[in-house]
Every structure is written in structure tokens, then in C-alpha cells.
């Protein structure tokens, strides 16, 4: 299952991005896939193909409606919204697809129909045009068996809503050329998706989880109601299986997919007979559970966890997918509250193992673990690690949070650095963000809200969050930050503690903490002034007014060492910078630094948002005291304590509450 690079954007492109795409099937998911592509690839020519003119017209109208809604919400500009419906062509004639670079089929889940479609498509398109199917369950080897050029064909399985859901499975099957899989991974990553590579088996990776989760729920209906099962399932998913089946009219799908699994892998996968007799389920909406008797709830819980763990170990034992991808996909594509491996970890090997063993007894034939359960936990959940020319490239992969730091990601980065920092074969490290939107959008607020009003507790929290940064301060092997997009808050603090910084030309940095009513706790009031005193005025504006610093300006100031035009050249530039810094890592200057005057300012952000004068005063006092501190350690301690002081202000309570409630803070209500 391994690819050339864990991060798709590190590989040299083998094809240009598609200029013309055709989507066959203008019904439910096809137009949504098309809308995602048109939104992500300006100038793309897109064909929507169907046997019904009415379906095509409805699909085009859906594009207009989506674009209008995005414009009204401020998520698109007028020019971006207009581009969505430009070069959008509805057709009933396959001959119009002759110039397509990529034909993506999203028709009915019928294998004979798909074979007919692909035979007709292959007779028209160029030999090098990509051909993919959006099937959720049918193996590629069956769908593409009759193609003359199967090496350019595979499955690209999207999840609803396809224009928003970040996950897409890319199937690696025996006849697909490896460069085709790598190209698709790159295209998806560049356009905001997270491609998960899976083996070519029935239902691939994520639908094996979803379909069997739903099927097991239906098998429990002899003892419980749909509402009771969904209520218990709410511990693990945002919406219970029967609610989702109603939403997607999914009963026939489960019947088809589990029949396929039963034919290919054994009778224990047979669909619950009730799926053929019921169209809709009497259940509960998410968040409104019914009361379930404790013994019944325990039995339902055990079976649901049993099927989840059974499918998880089977997927990993058979190499159907990777552990981190499975957990990510379950959370992001299937709306599980936690991935199955995280659930197993939280329960512990003893309890999880007992649940799995019980399930395999109750459901003979279902797969069990082939190795100790603790062995399944040996993987990196939130970062990817690659090697380029003797340099370890660490990719922050939390795209759902724009690669924001949290404790587990921090510890994973630190563990990888500690593993290789004394290895003579490793020249150094590059840290980069996943995708093309963000390097790192700060840090999750974690347990900080519970520490409001506790100055010492909040200061200690800042010290704890600095463990990776303090380690970087002491390193002799170079670490370079490669800024591939926006850099916010804690992400900027991480970058400034690296020994070099390179950036894509359009990248920008911002310190928004003041807009939350707090100061920066892990070095932003200290390190930038010591490393780049010539840029003090810009740092004052970033800290006190949340002004953005563009990468081009940061280069002029010496904060950024070099600029790059695209992601891969950015990482290659960072690797070169690592080589140049070998044996020359100086660290953050230890002594006091002279600051220019901190001129008084109106408590207002660059955006116009009113700010807290009290918090700005705490910040200014900390900046001056940290600059005068005789050692780096003493200066950092000033920052930790100032963070603790800001946590005790009314502004912090208002700012953090507003953040959690997704509203703008009103600091005029605070003293």
C-alpha cells in the first residue's frame, strides 16, 4: 500500500492538472463532484453528461444555486462565483468528451451499466485520458476488466456532500499504473481533498466500516428498536445508523454492498433481511436520544463496537488501508466522534480485546485480530514523515483544523525529531503543512478554557505547550519551517523557533490572540524581537493589532530566508536551507535586546474590531520586560506569566466564550 511519498505534494508531477473534465451522471453526487472541481480549479472546462436533458439542466441550476449561496455567505467573490458556471457544458452525447483529460463516472451502482459506459468512453477519449469511477463498493478489477488501457483507470470514491467532504478514496489495483495513482493523489491534495489510498476489495476501506456498522445495527432489531440503537450509537457517531440510512435512502445500498461482500468473502456478511422489507426507519434525530434500559444499552454498545473493531483489524491485517487514514476517514467522511483505533486506545487493549472476542463468538466467521491489539496502535496519527536527500520532512496533517497544533501532534513531532536528531545519516528536518491552504493555523485551545481565572495554572499550561519549541531552541541539527499558506498564532511561534524559514510567495503570517482577549504564551512576545530586531515595528503591529505580515515583506525584513512559487519547490528550497545550516545552528540570541518605542495605540485590530486595552497593556509590559531579560529562559518566563495574567481578565473570558460560541467578542462589555 505504500506510496512514493506519504505527502503527495513532495513527488515531482507526472502530468499537468486537468484542464477538461467530464462527469457522467448528473443525478445526486455527480454535480457535487463537479462543483468541487470547478471551485478548486479556476478555468476548468467541465462536461456534465447524462441520458436525461432534464437531469443535466437541474444539475447546472444546482451549480448556480451553490455559487449564489457561497457568494451570499462571503465564501466566494463575484468573479469566483461567476467562474463556477463558466465553461460548464451539459450534454447527452459522449462524443463531446473527446478532449477530456479525465472522465469521472458517477452513475447508478450497476456493474453492467458501468462496463457499458466505460466501453463507450474508451472508444472516444484519448489513450492517455484518465478514467475513474465513483463506485462505493464495486472492485476496480471487475469494472475495468474489458478496457484496452486499464492502466489509466481506477476508482475515486467521494463522500457526501462531495463538494465539502474532504475525503476521497483512491483505489490502487493491479493494472493501474502507479503514476496514475500518484497523480490523482496530487490533484486531490492540491484541490483541498485528502486522498486515502485503499486496496481493490469490495467496499474498499471506509464503506466496509459504514456498511457493516449499519448491517450490524439492523441485525440488532430483534432485540431493540431503531430509535434505541441510534440513541446508543450517539456515543460514537454524530448521527445514528438508521438516521443516516433515512437521509441517504440507503437500505438498498446496504443490501447490495453486503450481498457483494458475502459473495466474495463469506456468508457472515449477508445483509439483514429486514432491509428488503422496510423503506424508512422510525428513529430519533441526533442529540435527542430515547432512554434505553442499561442491560440492552450495554448489549447494543458491545455489538456496535465489536463490528467496528472487527472491521478495523481486518482492514489493517489485510493491508486494505493505513491506520492513520482509517481513523481520519472515519472521523471526516463517516462523522465518527473518534476513529476506531482511538476508541480502542481509549478503552485499552484488555477491554477492547474482550469486546472483539465476544463479538467473534456471537458472529461466527467475522474477522478477529491477528496480533496483539497494542500492535495496531504503533502509527503516527497527525503527521507524515518522508525523506528527501537525507532530510526528514515532517508534514502536519490535520487539514480539518488547518493543521493546528494540539498535544498529540506536538508529541509526535517531538518524537520524530528525537528519534533522528542524533542520526548521522539525517542532515536535519523540514516542517511543512498538509495541502495548499495552511502551514499551521495556531494551536487548539485544549484545556485552556478551564484555566480562565487561574494565573499560575495558565502559565504552567503555556510552559507545557512550549516543550517542542524549547527542544528546538537547544538543537544542533537544523530545522527549517516551510510556510505553504496561512500561518497563525502558535504556528508562527513554531516557525520562529525553527532555525530557518522559507515560504511560498502568497503565504502570510498573523497573530490573532489579541482578538481573543489573551496574549501569546509560547514565545511570540520574545523570540521574534531577539532574532530579527530590525523588524520590531512589524512585530508590534502583529501582536497588538493582529496585522498580517506577507511573506514578501518578511523576506525584505530578513524574517524569511527565501520564497518559492509552488509547494514542491518550497520543500526543495527548505531542504537546501537545511543543508546550508548544517553545523551553523546559532539558536535564539540569549542576551537582552534594544527595542524601539512602543507608541500608544487605539485598542482596535487591523480589521477594525475593538480590542481590550487591559490585554494590550499586559502585552506591552511583557514585551518590554522580555526584551530586557538577561537570558532567553528568563524572557520566556516573562511570556508564560503574562499569558497567565491575561487568562484572569474579563476580556479573556469574553474572547474565549465568543470563540467557542462562534461569534464576535464584545470587549466593550469588559472593564
Amino acid at each position: 500500500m505504500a506510496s512514493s511519498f506519504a505527502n503527495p505534494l513532495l513527488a515531482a508531477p507526472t502530468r499537468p492538472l486537468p484542464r477538461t473534465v467530464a462527469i457522467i451522471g448528473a443525478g445526486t453526487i455527480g454535480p457535487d463532484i463537479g462543483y468541487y472541481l470547478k471551485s478548486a480549479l479556476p478555468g476548468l472546462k467541465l462536461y456534465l453528461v447524462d441520458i436525461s436533458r432534464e437531469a443535466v439542466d437541474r444539475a447546472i441550476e444546482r451549480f448556480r444555486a451553490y455559487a449564489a449561496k457561497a457568494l451570499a455567505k462571503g465564501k466566494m467573490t463575484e468573479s469566483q462565483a461567476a467562474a463556477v458556471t463558466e465553461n460548464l457544458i451539459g450534454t447527452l452525447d459522449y462524443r463531446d468528451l473527446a478532449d477530456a483529460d479525465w472522465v469521472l463516472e458517477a452513475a447508478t451502482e450497476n456493474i453492467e451499466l458501468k462496463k457499458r459506459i466505460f466501453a463507450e468512453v474508451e472508444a472516444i477519449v484519448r489513450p492517455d485520458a484518465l478514467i475513474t469511477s465513483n463506485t462505493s463498493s464495486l472492485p476496480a478489477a471487475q469494472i475495468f476488466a474489458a478496457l484496452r488501457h486499464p492502466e489509466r483507470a481506477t476508482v475515486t470514491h467521494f463522500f457526501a456532500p462531495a463538494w465539502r467532504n474532504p475525503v476521497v478514496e483512491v483505489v490502487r489495483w493491479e493494472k493501474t499504473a502507479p503514476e496514475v495513482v500518484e497523480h490523482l493523489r496530487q490533484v486531490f491534495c492540491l484541490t483541498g481533498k485528502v486522498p486515502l489510498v485503499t486496496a481493490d476489495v469490495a467496499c474498499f476501506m471506509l464503506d466496509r466500516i459504514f456498511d457493516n456498522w449499519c448491517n450490524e445495527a439492523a441485525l440488532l432489531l430483534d432485540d431493540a428498536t431503531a430509535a434505541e440503537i441510534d440513541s446508543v450509537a450517539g456515543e460514537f457517531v454524530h448521527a445514528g445508523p438508521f438516521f443516516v440510512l433515512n437521509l441517504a435512502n440507503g437500505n438498498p445500498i446496504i443490501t447490495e454492498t453486503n450481498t457483494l461482500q458475502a459473495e466474495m468473502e463469506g456468508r457472515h456478511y449477508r445483509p439483514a433481511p429486514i432491509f428488503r422489507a422496510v423503506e424508512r426507519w422510525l428513529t430519533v434525530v441526533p442529540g435527542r436520544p430515547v432512554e434505553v434500559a442499561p442491560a440492552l444499552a450495554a448489549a447494543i454498545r458491545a455489538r456496535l463496537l465489536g463490528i467496528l473493531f472487527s472491521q478495523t483489524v481486518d482492514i489493517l491485517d489485510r493491508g486494505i488501508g493505513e491506520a492513520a487514514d482509517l481513523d481520519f476517514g472515519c472521523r471526516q467522511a463517516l462523522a465518527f466522534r473518534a476513529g476506531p483505533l482511538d476508541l480502542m486506545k481509549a478503552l485499552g487493549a484488555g477491554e477492547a480485546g474482550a469486546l472483539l472476542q465476544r463479538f467473534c463468538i456471537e458472529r461466527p466467521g467475522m474477522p478477529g485480530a491477528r496480533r496483539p491489539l497494542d500492535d495496531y496502535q504503533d502509527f503516527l496519527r497527525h503527521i507524515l514523515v518522508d525523506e528527501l536527500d537525507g532530510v526528514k520532512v515532517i508534514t502536519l496533517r490535520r487539514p480539518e483544523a488547518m493543521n493546528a497544533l494540539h498535544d498529540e501532534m506536538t508529541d509526535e513531532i517531538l518524537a520524530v525529531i528525537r528519534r533522528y536528531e542524533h542520526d548521522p545519516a539525517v542532515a536535519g528536518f523540514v516542517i511543512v503543512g498538509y495541502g495548499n491552504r495552511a502551514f499551521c493555523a495556531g494551536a487548539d485551545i485544549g484545556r485552556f478554557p478551564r484555566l480562565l481565572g487561574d494565573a499560575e495554572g495558565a502559565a504552567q499550561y503555556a510552559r507545557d505547550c512550549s516543550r517542542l519549541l524549547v527542544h528546538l531552541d537547544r538543537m544542533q541539527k537544523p530545522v527549517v519551517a516551510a510556510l505553504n499558506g496561512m500561518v497563525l498564532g502558535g504556528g508562527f511561534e513554531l516557525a520562529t523557533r525553527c532555525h530557518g524559514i522559507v515560504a511560498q510567495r502568497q503565504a502570510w503570517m498573523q497573530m490573532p490572540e489579541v482578538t481573543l482577549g489573551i496574549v501569546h504564551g509560547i514565545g511570540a512576545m520574545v523570540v521574534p524581537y531577539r532574532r530579527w530586531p530590525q523588524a520590531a515595528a512589524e512585530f508590534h503591529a502583529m501582536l497588538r493589532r493582529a496585522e498580517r505580515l506577507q511573506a514578501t515583506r518578511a523576506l525584505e525584513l530578513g524574517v524569511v530566508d527565501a520564497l518559492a512559487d509552488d509547494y514542491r519547490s518550497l520543500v526543495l528550497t527548505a531542504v537546501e536551507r537545511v543543508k546550508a545550516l548544517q553545523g551553523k545552528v546559532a539558536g535564539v540570541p540569549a542576551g537582552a535586546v534594544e527595542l524601539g518605542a512602543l507608541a500608544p495605540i487605539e485598542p482596535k485590530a487591523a480589521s477594525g474590531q475593538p480590542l481590550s486595552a487591559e490585554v494590550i497593556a499586559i502585552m506591552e509590559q511583557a514585551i518590554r520586560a522580555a526584551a530586557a531579560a538577561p537570558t532567553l529562559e528568563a524572557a520566556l518566563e516573562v511570556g508564560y506569566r503574562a499569558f497567565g495574567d491575561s487568562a484572569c481578565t474579563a476580556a479573556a473570558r469574553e474572547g474565549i466564550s465568543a470563540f467557542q460560541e462562534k461569534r464576535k467578542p464584545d470587549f466593550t462589555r469588559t472593564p
Side-chain angles (χ1 to χ4, degrees):
M1 293 299 298
S3 301
S4 55
F5 290 103
N7 181 342
L9 299 186
L10 300 187
T14 57
R15 293 171 177 247
L17 288 172
R19 295 180 296 272
T20 303
V21 174
I23 294 178
I24 298 175
T28 303
I29 199 167
D32 282 5
I33 296 171
Y35 180 76
Y36 135 69
L37 287 168
K38 285 287 289 178
S39 302
L41 295 171
L44 179 73
K45 184 179 182 180
L46 181 68
Y47 289 96
L48 288 175
V49 190
D50 204 280
I51 58 173
S52 163
R53 170 55 63 182
E54 184 180 356
V56 168
D57 291 343
R58 282 198 307 267
I60 291 174
E61 184 55 38
R62 195 192 306 181
F63 273 67
R64 294 194 181 100
Y66 282 167
K69 188 174 183 180
L71 179 62
K73 289 188 171 183
K75 295 183 177 181
M76 277 186 178
T77 64
E78 287 190 11
S79 60
Q80 289 171 330
V84 167
T85 53
E86 290 175 357
N87 290 318
L88 178 60
I89 304 158
T91 182
L92 311 185
D93 190 346
Y94 279 25
R95 289 174 296 182
D96 289 340
L97 312 187
D99 65 337
D101 302 310
W102 178 12
V103 177
L104 196 159
E105 171 270 324
T108 303
E109 200 79 331
N110 180 295
I111 193 164
E112 295 307 319
L113 172 63
K114 292 179 186 293
K115 287 180 177 180
R116 290 197 300 272
I117 288 172
F118 289 125
E120 190 168 350
V121 167
E122 190 170 41
I124 294 167
V125 300
R126 302 189 314 269
D128 65 335
L130 297 181
I131 296 175
T132 70
S133 172
N134 182 57
T135 179
S136 63
S137 58
L138 300 172
Q142 293 184 16
I143 297 174
F144 303 117
L147 289 189
R148 296 191 305 275
H149 297 285
E151 69 279 358
R152 43 83 173 268
T154 192
V155 170
T156 49
H157 176 212
F158 293 79
F159 291 81
W163 58 271
R164 187 177 65 196
N165 195 308
V167 174
V168 57
E169 290 180 315
V170 180
V171 173
R172 188 190 305 281
W173 68 295
E174 59 181 0
K175 292 187 179 180
T176 303
E179 58 268 24
V180 167
V181 174
E182 295 311 305
H183 171 70
L184 289 167
R185 293 176 72 226
Q186 287 183 339
V187 169
F188 288 131
C189 193
L190 282 168
T191 53
K193 296 289 186 185
V194 182
L196 310 181
V197 176
T198 82
D200 189 33
V201 298
C203 300
F204 315 120
M205 177 171 67
L206 296 180
D207 264 29
R208 296 183 76 83
I209 296 288
F210 175 74
D211 295 347
N212 285 295
W213 169 265
C214 292
N215 196 52
E216 203 64 35
L219 292 172
L220 287 167
L221 289 170
D222 287 342
D223 302 308
T225 66
E228 289 172 326
I229 294 166
D230 272 6
S231 296
V232 174
E235 178 184 351
F236 310 112
V237 290
H238 292 283
F242 295 107
F243 181 87
V244 175
L245 289 170
N246 281 347
L247 201 64
N249 297 315
N251 293 3
I253 297 172
I254 303 301
T255 297
E256 293 170 6
T257 56
N258 276 69
T259 297
L260 179 65
Q261 289 183 77
E263 291 171 351
M264 300 185 71
E265 299 182 21
R267 292 171 57 83
H268 46 283
Y269 282 113
R270 286 177 300 176
I274 196 171
F275 280 123
R276 300 182 187 275
V278 174
E279 290 187 6
R280 294 190 64 80
W281 306 98
L282 296 175
T283 187
V284 291
V285 299
R288 298 180 184 176
V290 298
E291 187 173 345
V292 186
L296 179 59
I300 294 169
R301 185 178 188 273
R303 281 281 289 277
L304 291 178
L305 286 175
I307 187 62
L308 186 60
F309 295 163
S310 172
Q311 291 305 298
T312 294
V313 297
D314 189 46
I315 287 165
L316 299 181
D317 286 338
R318 293 167 58 191
I320 294 171
E322 299 289 341
D325 287 353
L326 176 58
D327 258 17
F328 179 87
C330 284
R331 293 194 312 270
Q332 298 303 313
L334 306 182
F336 275 78
R337 299 183 188 277
L341 288 156
D342 279 344
L343 281 172
M344 291 169 70
K345 182 179 180 181
L347 289 173
E351 185 176 352
L355 287 166
L356 180 55
Q357 185 177 28
R358 171 182 168 180
F359 175 76
C360 291
I361 292 171
E362 293 177 350
R363 295 277 277 114
M366 281 294 183
R370 300 181 187 176
R371 46 198 166 113
L373 285 192
D374 282 339
D375 288 0
Y376 295 90
Q377 299 293 339
D378 186 17
F379 68 99
L380 296 170
R381 285 167 160 81
H382 306 292
I383 65 173
L384 307 174
V385 180
D386 289 293
E387 184 166 323
L388 272 174
D389 195 19
V391 173
K392 293 293 181 183
V393 179
I394 299 171
T395 303
L396 314 180
R397 192 182 80 159
R398 289 188 70 215
E400 72 279 16
M402 291 188 292
N403 305 322
L405 295 164
H406 61 5
D407 281 344
E408 196 165 16
M409 177 188 273
T410 295
D411 288 338
E412 287 186 353
I413 300 167
L414 191 52
V416 170
I417 287 175
R418 283 175 169 159
R419 178 178 178 183
Y420 293 109
E421 66 180 320
H422 300 298
D423 185 342
V426 175
F429 305 86
V430 168
I431 300 177
V432 67
Y434 186 88
N436 60 5
R437 289 189 61 198
F439 168 73
C440 175
D444 286 356
I445 60 174
R447 67 178 190 275
F448 175 65
R450 301 196 298 272
L451 297 170
L452 291 171
D454 180 358
E456 186 50 49
Q460 186 57 48
Y461 177 70
R463 294 185 194 99
D464 294 342
C465 290
S466 296
R467 58 193 180 278
L468 168 61
L469 309 187
V470 170
H471 188 87
L472 294 177
D473 294 339
R474 298 168 180 165
M475 284 181 64
Q476 296 301 308
K477 193 163 281 189
V479 182
V480 172
L483 311 184
N484 56 301
M486 71 173 73
V487 187
L488 303 180
F492 181 69
E493 291 176 297
L494 170 60
T496 61
R497 304 295 267 277
C498 293
H499 311 113
I501 303 175
V502 300
Q504 280 189 251
R505 198 168 300 276
Q506 77 278 11
W508 51 271
M509 294 145 265
Q510 187 180 31
M511 302 298 293
E513 277 83 343
V514 69
T515 66
L516 298 178
I518 57 175
V519 304
H520 313 79
I522 58 175
M525 297 185 296
V526 178
V527 173
Y529 293 103
R530 291 182 175 233
R531 289 191 65 184
W532 306 285
Q534 71 277 12
E538 274 77 9
F539 298 140
H540 292 341
M542 291 178 73
L543 293 170
R544 297 192 296 169
R545 300 188 67 246
E547 284 192 6
R548 291 185 182 184
L549 176 63
Q550 300 294 331
T552 49
R553 176 61 177 153
L555 179 69
E556 295 171 359
L557 293 167
V559 176
V560 164
D561 302 316
L563 298 180
D565 291 323
D566 59 64
Y567 191 104
R568 187 165 189 271
S569 63
L570 170 73
V571 176
L572 292 176
T573 300
V575 168
E576 291 174 4
R577 186 68 183 141
V578 166
K579 298 294 184 71
L581 286 170
Q582 281 185 284
K584 303 175 184 177
V585 172
V588 181
V593 61
E594 290 291 331
L595 285 185
L598 270 165
I601 63 168
E602 182 182 2
K604 183 178 291 187
S607 66
Q609 174 189 335
L611 301 174
S612 165
E614 180 185 12
V615 170
I616 291 175
I618 292 171
M619 182 185 298
E620 291 174 340
Q621 182 179 357
I623 290 171
R624 293 190 188 99
T631 66
L632 174 61
E633 290 75 15
L636 291 172
E637 185 61 29
V638 169
Y640 302 148
R641 292 195 171 279
F643 180 75
D645 291 341
S646 73
C648 295
T649 64
R653 288 192 292 274
E654 167 62 13
I656 297 302
S657 295
F659 177 80
Q660 292 176 314
E661 296 164 11
K662 298 182 179 179
R663 60 175 174 84
K664 290 184 178 181
D666 182 3
F667 295 121
T668 63
R669 298 188 303 176
T670 62

